[in-house]
């Protein structure tokens, strides 16, 4: 694969299970300014909540594990089909959510999402550590 056809992507969200979804919503809003981007369910009791800034909270009131909190990583792809095809040589398996949901050999779940035209290049051009 040449450098001109190399797949390009960026992490769009990280999904985690949380016991108290309202606490996490308030914390990320008040402490980090990460406000609502999308919600599943009623706002006062959502089953899932996405913030601007890449967090996805999934309500799981009985969650009590010290590890295993990560649900999946959502990755925006410049070309979804190229990314899916490239992933196949790495021994991944499609998950029940669809062929763009991949289970990696170590168990990590990755959701590949088709980005809108030009958005990956734009996102990758931003250097958040460049303060000048």
């Amino acid at each position: 694969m040449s450098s001109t056809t190399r797949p390009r992507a960026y992490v769009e969200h990280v999904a985690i299970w949380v016991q108290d979804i309202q606490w996490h919503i308030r914390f990320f809003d008040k402490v980090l300014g990460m406000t609502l981007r999308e919600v599943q369910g009623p706002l006062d009791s959502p089953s899932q909540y996405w913030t601007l800034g890449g967090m996805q909270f999934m309500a799981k009131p009985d969650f009590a594990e010290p590890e295993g909190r990560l649900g999946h990583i959502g990755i925006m792809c410049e070309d979804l089909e190229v990314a899916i095809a490239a992933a196949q040589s790495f021994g991944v398996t499609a998950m029940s959510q669809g062929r763009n949901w991949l289970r990696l050999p170590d168990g990590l779940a990755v959701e590949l999402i088709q980005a809108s035209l030009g958005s990956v290049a734009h996102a990758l051009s931003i250097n958040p550590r460049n303060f000048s």
Side-chain angles (χ1 to χ4, degrees):
M1 182 178 302
S2 76
S3 63
T4 58
T5 60
R6 184 173 185 195
R8 293 167 41 116
Y10 67 92
V11 173
E12 193 269 340
H13 68 271
V14 175
I16 60 170
W17 286 294
V18 296
Q19 280 186 329
D20 185 343
I21 196 167
Q22 289 296 342
W23 184 94
H24 283 80
I25 291 168
R26 286 190 311 276
F27 177 85
F28 278 79
D29 179 24
K30 301 301 183 202
V31 174
L32 301 168
M34 297 172 86
T35 58
L36 172 67
R37 178 179 60 102
E38 184 178 345
V39 66
Q40 181 179 26
L43 195 53
D44 62 343
S45 181
S47 58
Q48 297 187 77
Y49 184 100
W50 292 260
T51 72
L52 292 172
M55 295 301 300
Q56 176 185 350
F57 306 123
M58 301 178 300
K60 189 170 184 174
D62 62 347
F63 183 82
E65 302 297 321
E67 300 297 329
R69 179 177 302 271
L70 179 65
H72 67 274
I73 300 173
I75 301 176
M76 296 300 271
C77 301
E78 193 168 58
D79 188 326
L80 178 61
E81 295 307 318
V82 167
I84 291 172
Q88 299 311 309
S89 66
F90 284 87
V92 302
T93 55
M95 297 173 62
S96 61
Q97 293 93 325
R99 62 190 210 66
N100 64 308
W101 283 78
L102 306 175
R103 177 76 62 196
L104 307 190
D106 68 355
L108 181 64
V110 176
E111 175 190 13
L112 301 180
I113 307 161
Q114 177 62 60
S116 59
L117 184 62
S119 65
V120 171
H122 177 71
L124 294 177
S125 72
I126 297 169
N127 181 354
R129 296 192 181 259
N130 184 358
F131 299 104
S132 56

